[in-house]
Amino acid sequence: MEKQDKYVQLLKEARSLVEGESDMIANMANLAALVHETMGFWWTGFYIVRPGKDGVEQLVLGPFQGPIACTRIGLGRGVCGTAWQRGETVIVPDVEQFPGHIACSSQSRSEIVVPVWRNGKVMAVLDIDSRHLNTFNETDAIYLEQIVGLFH
Ligand code: SME
């Protein structure tokens, strides 16, 4: 099946999952599992914007599928912190070419991070890693942005 066809199906399933449930963590958990299983990615999960000990906001590990990962990421740090700071999707074809990339897993080769918006603010990011170079393109960005848009 083509990537786009998988996403069209995935988006339908994501809608029906989120429709019947209002809890953010439950929805993040099921969406991470749905995207991960359907697309066969290496790591799929959410980092949620939360205040740290000093009160400064940071990204804290949320529901995910895949190997264990870094728990806290600062604003502007790594691909996740960059997507959060810019408020836009970041596609990294080769993580070794991204200055400041945070290597949670040495197996990760390419990555996409999509901001999750609520009330005009980025409240989380969806982070996906692949074990292959150049996995993600505009098609992933378009559909993943629609999927995280379900949180609105
Ligand atoms: N590589 C990410 C960190 C999170 S892990 O990939 C799960 C980054 O550079 O922000």
Side-chain angles (χ1 to χ4, degrees):
M1 216 197 275
E2 292 279 324
K3 182 191 262 190
Q4 186 162 354
D5 298 330
K6 283 192 196 172
Y7 272 123
V8 168
Q9 187 59 33
L10 208 166
L11 192 56
K12 272 190 210 155
E13 291 177 44
R15 273 207 190 94
S16 63
L17 267 178
V18 169
E19 234 167 39
E21 177 55 62
S22 60
D23 187 90
M24 184 187 79
I25 297 291
N27 284 333
M28 284 181 170
N30 265 341
L31 287 181
L34 180 67
V35 171
H36 194 75
E37 294 290 310
T38 310
M39 305 305 291
F41 295 136
W42 168 246
W43 195 93
T44 309
F46 291 89
Y47 280 90
I48 305 168
V49 176
R50 292 236 168 106
K53 269 190 197 153
D54 52 6
V56 177
E57 285 186 331
Q58 52 186 191
L59 292 171
V60 182
L61 183 63
F64 73 94
Q65 298 277 313
I68 59 166
C70 330
T71 55
R72 290 170 191 271
I73 298 172
L75 184 68
R77 301 282 170 172
V79 188
C80 291
T82 301
W84 174 28
Q85 188 170 47
R86 291 185 191 163
E88 60 186 36
T89 298
V90 178
I91 294 172
V92 180
D94 178 354
V95 295
E96 284 180 17
Q97 304 301 319
F98 188 93
H101 169 257
I102 301 166
C104 292
S105 159
S106 59
Q107 304 238 35
S108 176
R109 307 286 300 280
S110 60
E111 183 163 355
I112 184 169
V113 181
V114 182
V116 183
W117 294 84
R118 185 187 270 170
N119 301 328
K121 209 179 157 235
V122 176
M123 62 96 158
V125 298
L126 170 61
D127 177 21
I128 302 177
D129 289 28
S130 164
R131 279 200 289 177
H132 310 284
L133 292 170
N134 281 311
T135 295
F136 306 102
N137 58 25
E138 205 47 39
T139 302
D140 300 271
I142 288 166
Y143 284 98
L144 293 170
E145 283 169 11
Q146 289 187 58
I147 289 166
V148 302
L150 297 170
F151 283 113
H152 290 177

